[in-house]
Amino acid sequence: MSFFTHLECSVPCGAPTLDPSQRHHLCACGAPLLARYDLAAARSWSRDSLVGRDPNMWRYRELMPLFDGEAPVTLGEGFTPLFHARALGATLGLNRLFIKDESLNPTNSFKARGQSAAITRAKYLGARTIALPTAGNAGNAAAAYSAAAGLSCEVFIPGDAKRAFIDECRLYGANVTLVDGLITDAGRTAAERGAPLGWYDVSTLKEPYRIEGKKTMAYELAEQMDWRWPDWIVYPTGGGTGMVGMWKAFDEIERIGWIDPGRRPRMVSVQAENCAPIVRAFQLGAEKAQPWEAASTLADGLRVPRAIGDFLILRAIRESGGTALSVSDPSMVDGMLAIGAYEGVSAAPEGGAAFVAIQRLAADGSIRPDDSVVLFNTGGALKYLDVLSHHAAAT
Ligand SMILES: *Cc1c(COP(=O)(O)O)cnc(C)c1O
């Protein structure tokens, strides 16, 4: 059974709560909606019940958006390994560096978690066609889970996106439309085409359930670290569903009594030098982020000039005592190569960026040698082999 009860505005703006047996995308005020649970009743749910459950994100189904007896659309996403990166940590003088390897999800990125949850709900709600704008990985995951659910999928992707992303959408039977411009332009086209046709939009934070999939990263961290939080979580941030989802999970986990309230991990948001709206807003002390002009980076997942959940990301960073920093494209490639060479892990540029951020925070003394640090490797390197060839050619 699940303690899922209703949907609520993330601000919150005071609008009435919404019934999750109906389709809802954004709150009437334009802000993202969040799934809510009966957390008081969920205190009866014991973490001991997790023992022996399937190693995927639906092992936390009591606090997932599912109705009683409902089967999720799953390809085995989640419960990715968390391992102690001793050799890589030693290069920075860190004794407790861990990698949460999200590249091992279906379609090679943590986007699988969000789409598994979103498409599970879309199917229940009677959707026939899933639609979304994407920088790459979200489209691959949406295409795969749509196929698994028996639904059609319409992907809108910037025309200059990598071939690998476009071809992989088609591999899972999706219809791909190439759009002039960035993911924000692709979003506009997807909405215009889809609205009259009743397509179910699974854009980042424009439906309430991708966050619920992403929040399971925090449930897994808690379980894998034996119910203690790490000191730092370092997370490459684009649309921010991971940051927002994990922050929501900390709250739920405390309220059901699985970890005592108190010090949560410091959340570090990592962006690209030429697309860093959250970093700029953090440094300015702003509550919301201004759109970034002429955004460009080889880390496709970070090429998000404007995040609809900006205020939620900034809240999580500030309330956790964390920080936000941006790294250059060439340094991300160095990061990929370091993670690969020292740990044998296949990292996307986004994972490389997280490593560079840790390097910088260790060098300036913010992260101390015995702090526990979790590097989120949000995707794998295989869709970026062109980047590595260019780098090799240039050095
Ligand atoms: C989408 C993506 C990100 C950004 O994730 P958000 O949770 O939307 O901020 C980071 N890394 C990779 C590999 C991605 O595909």
Side-chain angles (χ1 to χ4, degrees):
M1 75 166 250
S2 164
F3 296 101
F4 184 32
T5 51
H6 62 276
L7 298 171
E8 182 178 81
C9 178
S10 58
V11 170
C13 72
T17 62
L18 297 169
D19 170 7
S21 69
Q22 306 294 321
R23 260 197 204 204
H24 298 289
H25 287 270
L26 291 171
C27 179
C29 76
L33 289 169
L34 296 175
R36 295 298 185 196
Y37 302 82
D38 183 347
L39 295 176
R43 292 185 72 88
S44 65
W45 180 31
S46 157
R47 63 193 196 197
D48 299 337
S49 69
L50 297 173
V51 175
R53 289 194 182 184
D54 287 348
N56 66 58
M57 72 175 195
W58 296 99
R59 63 200 275 107
Y60 310 105
R61 67 174 289 146
E62 282 86 340
L63 290 184
M64 292 293 280
L66 272 186
F67 293 118
D68 289 355
E70 188 188 355
V73 178
T74 178
L75 293 167
E77 57 294 323
F79 221 69
T80 54
L82 174 77
F83 56 86
H84 192 168
R86 288 187 181 78
L88 189 63
T91 67
L92 307 180
L94 299 181
N95 299 318
R96 295 163 70 208
L97 176 64
F98 297 86
I99 295 179
K100 180 74 170 153
D101 193 4
E102 292 293 301
S103 76
L104 297 172
N105 277 299
T107 71
N108 308 109
S109 87
F110 71 155
K111 291 292 195 302
R113 298 177 186 266
Q115 296 300 347
S116 173
I119 289 171
T120 293
R121 299 277 23 96
K123 184 178 178 191
Y124 175 91
L125 294 166
R128 307 288 292 277
T129 301
I130 301 297
L132 78 165
T134 179
N137 279 322
N140 291 166
Y145 285 88
S146 296
L151 305 176
S152 310
C153 185
E154 295 282 343
V155 177
F156 293 80
I157 190 165
D160 62 353
K162 279 186 208 317
R163 206 64 234 174
F165 288 122
I166 297 169
D167 291 340
E168 190 176 338
C169 288
R170 293 186 173 136
L171 172 70
Y172 305 124
N175 189 38
V176 180
T177 304
L178 302 182
V179 179
D180 252 349
L182 298 183
I183 186 169
T184 33
D185 304 296
R188 216 166 305 123
T189 311
E192 282 165 14
R193 286 266 188 97
L197 299 170
W199 292 351
Y200 190 96
D201 186 343
V202 293
S203 301
T204 303
L205 294 179
K206 288 192 183 161
E207 57 72 57
Y209 302 115
R210 283 174 62 181
I211 290 187
E212 296 303 295
K214 294 275 189 84
K215 82 176 181 187
T216 57
M217 297 189 290
Y219 280 83
E220 289 173 21
L221 269 189
E223 189 177 354
Q224 291 171 321
M225 300 191 95
D226 207 14
W227 311 108
R228 273 182 296 268
W229 294 124
D231 296 308
W232 299 84
I233 287 179
V234 182
Y235 186 88
T237 308
T241 40
M243 292 286 281
V244 174
M246 285 193 279
W247 192 248
K248 179 174 188 281
F250 296 159
D251 192 55
E252 291 173 356
I253 290 168
E254 287 175 0
R255 285 169 59 192
I256 63 172
W258 285 8
I259 292 188
D260 289 337
R263 208 188 37 77
R264 293 181 181 179
R266 293 176 192 275
M267 306 293 282
V268 179
S269 186
V270 186
Q271 298 202 296
E273 234 166 51
N274 294 324
C275 184
I278 299 297
V279 177
R280 184 170 64 187
F282 176 75
Q283 290 169 348
L284 291 172
E287 219 172 296
K288 288 178 156 261
Q290 293 304 312
W292 193 272
E293 299 293 329
S296 84
T297 168
L298 59 82
D300 300 86
L302 305 186
R303 199 160 61 136
V304 183
R306 176 176 171 273
I308 172 171
D310 52 359
F311 64 104
L312 298 170
I313 306 169
L314 287 159
R315 241 186 242 171
I317 299 169
R318 292 198 175 109
E319 287 182 21
S320 72
T323 187
L325 67 171
S326 60
V327 309
S328 73
D329 278 11
S331 72
M332 289 178 202
V333 180
D334 294 335
M336 293 168 77
L337 293 168
I339 295 170
Y342 283 97
E343 298 295 340
V345 168
S346 170
E350 292 84 346
F355 176 70
V356 176
I358 293 169
Q359 197 169 37
R360 215 184 294 158
L361 293 170
D364 76 10
S366 304
I367 298 181
R368 287 163 307 182
D370 288 318
D371 285 354
S372 54
V373 183
V374 174
L375 182 164
F376 267 90
N377 181 38
T378 48
L382 289 181
K383 301 180 197 187
Y384 297 87
L385 294 179
D386 59 329
V387 166
L388 294 178
S389 316
H390 284 140
H391 187 79
T395 53

